[in-house]
């Protein structure tokens, strides 16, 4: 009986010692600087908050697309080993193959954000802001959402009205 009480007290003392011990950790890595965090904090909101400086046109985007995107997405976004970037028609089911930029995406800023973070898939985050704006403009032109001479930048991109903008339930509308 005393042995059991002693064991219980020993466990409580050990836990107390652990709770007050400094949390030095295994000394792996180093503290991340605010500048390093800023380099990865590239979130873009539907209203354009977070869009970087820069600009691009569809004509510029067409040239970049031919060099960096055609191999996967096909000529003029019609599809290849990766999904087509043009709608085949309205969405009639939850089939992912029906979804495209022109009939599914709610905000043009989302398109910019996705291209910047994930494309080209074998070298993500290697495009400059101007290249991303240009590719975004080209995709929007192919989907007949902007004019041929429109320039996309942090001011004009959030103004593009996507066809499916109202097709989503916004969880936090006051944040847009």
């Amino acid at each position: 009986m005393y042995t059991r009480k002693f064991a219980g007290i020993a466990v409580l003392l050990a836990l107390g010692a652990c709770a007050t011990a400094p949390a030095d950790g295994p000394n792996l890595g180093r503290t991340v600087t605010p500048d390093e965090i800023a380099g990865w904090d590239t979130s873009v909101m539907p209203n354009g908050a977070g869009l970087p400086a820069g600009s691009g046109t569809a004509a510029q985007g067409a040239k970049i697309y031919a060099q960096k995107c055609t191999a996967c997405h096909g000529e003029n976004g019609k599809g290849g080993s990766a999904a087509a970037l043009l709608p085949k028609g309205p969405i009639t089911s939850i089939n992912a193959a029906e979804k495209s930029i022109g009939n599914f995406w709610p905000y043009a800023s989302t398109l910019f954000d996705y291209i910047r973070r994930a494309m080209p898939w074998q070298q993500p985050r290697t495009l400059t802001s101007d290249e991303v704006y240009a590719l975004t403009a080209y995709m929007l032109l192919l989907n007949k959402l902007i004019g041929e001479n429109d320039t996309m930048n942090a001011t004009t991109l959030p103004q593009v009205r996507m066809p499916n903008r109202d097709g989503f339930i916004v969880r936090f509308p006051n944040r847009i």
Side-chain angles (χ1 to χ4, degrees):
M1 181 165 175
Y2 290 107
T3 307
R4 195 174 275 176
K5 282 184 183 178
F6 178 73
I9 292 171
V11 168
L12 289 175
L13 288 173
L15 288 174
C18 290
T20 60
D24 288 334
N27 295 321
L28 298 175
R30 61 176 175 73
T31 303
V32 180
T33 67
D35 287 341
E36 290 169 325
I37 291 171
W40 283 92
D41 184 14
T42 59
S43 297
V44 175
M45 301 306 293
N47 66 0
L51 283 168
S55 66
T57 65
Q60 295 165 333
K63 293 174 186 171
I64 298 164
Y65 182 90
Q67 294 173 338
K68 299 183 179 191
C69 310
T70 301
C72 295
H73 291 287
E75 192 172 322
N76 298 319
K78 294 180 181 172
S81 61
L85 302 172
L86 306 174
K88 294 179 176 82
I91 298 173
T92 58
S93 71
I94 60 170
N95 181 357
E98 292 183 7
K99 298 175 184 174
S100 71
I101 294 164
N103 69 4
F104 181 72
W105 293 52
Y107 303 102
S109 59
T110 306
L111 175 60
F112 178 95
D113 191 44
Y114 182 77
I115 292 170
R116 179 167 66 165
R117 289 175 187 270
M119 295 293 138
W121 76 268
Q122 71 277 24
Q123 294 176 307
R125 294 179 44 96
T126 59
L127 298 169
T128 67
S129 294
D130 288 339
E131 288 175 317
V132 178
Y133 277 117
L135 285 168
T136 302
Y138 182 60
M139 293 296 100
L140 293 172
L141 176 68
L142 289 179
N143 281 273
K144 298 178 174 79
L145 299 171
I146 65 168
E148 189 175 340
N149 298 317
D150 291 346
T151 298
M152 291 295 104
N153 57 43
T155 302
T156 58
L157 186 65
Q159 295 173 5
V160 174
R161 178 98 179 147
M162 301 296 278
N164 197 34
R165 179 179 224 153
D166 298 325
F168 288 79
I169 297 171
V170 180
R171 185 171 179 189
F172 301 105
N174 60 333
R175 292 187 185 174
I176 294 179

